[in-house]
Amino acid sequence: QDAGEPEPTNLLAIVLHTALAFGFREDERVQAGVSQLEGLLRTDALPASQPERADWLVQAAMAMAEQPEAERDVVTVGLLRERLAELEPGMLERYAVYGFPTFDQPDDLVLARSALRLGIGGEWLRPWVERIEAAQDEQGLWRLGRALPAPAGVQWEAEGEPSRWVSAQALYVLRAFYGE
């Protein structure tokens, strides 16, 4: 990794997502982090490989989607849309493996949901949504493809089995993209 290239995992965005989701948008450290993230998005100093660049951008979208619409920088959201639209589902096969949790390994669902929440959907998003739609099983559910090990005593849904979490995320995306 080059000295000037950012880490493939966008830790700033992951921390901001959590802080914003829990209502800390007024905190000066959160505001400084949002400004820093916006500054990074305005440069081209993103990871070079498509999978790492995709993760970085999707994590940024996930964080920015937690901001109230009125507080989002329109130029930055537009740049984020352009960069996300450059990604190709065929180059990111692991994005078709839906997991929980998804902070460090985003997937089609996180990409599409974040884009839709930011209001930057459109035709560029259609191949991603169609891939989500195609993953629906014969029972109308989506399966958990990847789960991180859980702490002792905590039971996640089983990998390979139908997942309430993944199905709910997929249904949100389909409804937001196609409408009622």
Side-chain angles (χ1 to χ4, degrees), residues 41-115:
L41 283 165
R42 288 184 173 150
T43 69
D44 201 28
L46 302 176
S49 80
Q50 185 151 9
E52 291 174 351
R53 184 179 187 97
D55 289 355
W56 199 97
L57 289 167
V58 172
Q59 290 159 347
M62 192 171 66
M64 294 188 73
E66 289 300 329
Q67 290 181 289
E69 187 175 350
E71 294 179 17
R72 294 178 192 147
D73 180 76
V74 177
V75 172
T76 306
V77 171
L79 287 171
L80 185 55
R81 181 200 179 284
E82 289 173 19
R83 294 203 169 120
L84 287 171
E86 294 170 356
L87 302 175
E88 299 175 27
M91 302 278 297
L92 297 165
E93 285 304 318
R94 81 169 162 79
Y95 268 54
V97 178
Y98 307 128
F100 181 81
T102 57
F103 295 117
D104 65 330
Q105 294 183 17
D107 55 32
D108 294 344
L109 295 166
V110 176
L111 182 148
R113 185 169 188 266
S114 298

Side-chain angles (χ1 to χ4, degrees), residues 2 10 67 77 124 140 144 173:
D2 295 332
N10 191 341
Q67 290 181 289
V77 171
W124 73 270
L144 182 69
V173 167

Side-chain angles (χ1 to χ4, degrees), residues 10-72:
N10 191 341
L11 293 177
L12 173 61
I14 292 171
V15 169
L16 285 174
H17 172 265
T18 303
L20 290 164
F22 283 106
F24 291 100
R25 72 177 198 265
E26 303 292 328
D27 186 289
E28 63 187 40
R29 295 165 294 186
V30 172
Q31 291 177 354
V34 168
S35 294
Q36 183 182 355
L37 182 60
E38 290 173 347
L40 289 168
L41 283 165
R42 288 184 173 150
T43 69
D44 201 28
L46 302 176
S49 80
Q50 185 151 9
E52 291 174 351
R53 184 179 187 97
D55 289 355
W56 199 97
L57 289 167
V58 172
Q59 290 159 347
M62 192 171 66
M64 294 188 73
E66 289 300 329
Q67 290 181 289
E69 187 175 350
E71 294 179 17
R72 294 178 192 147

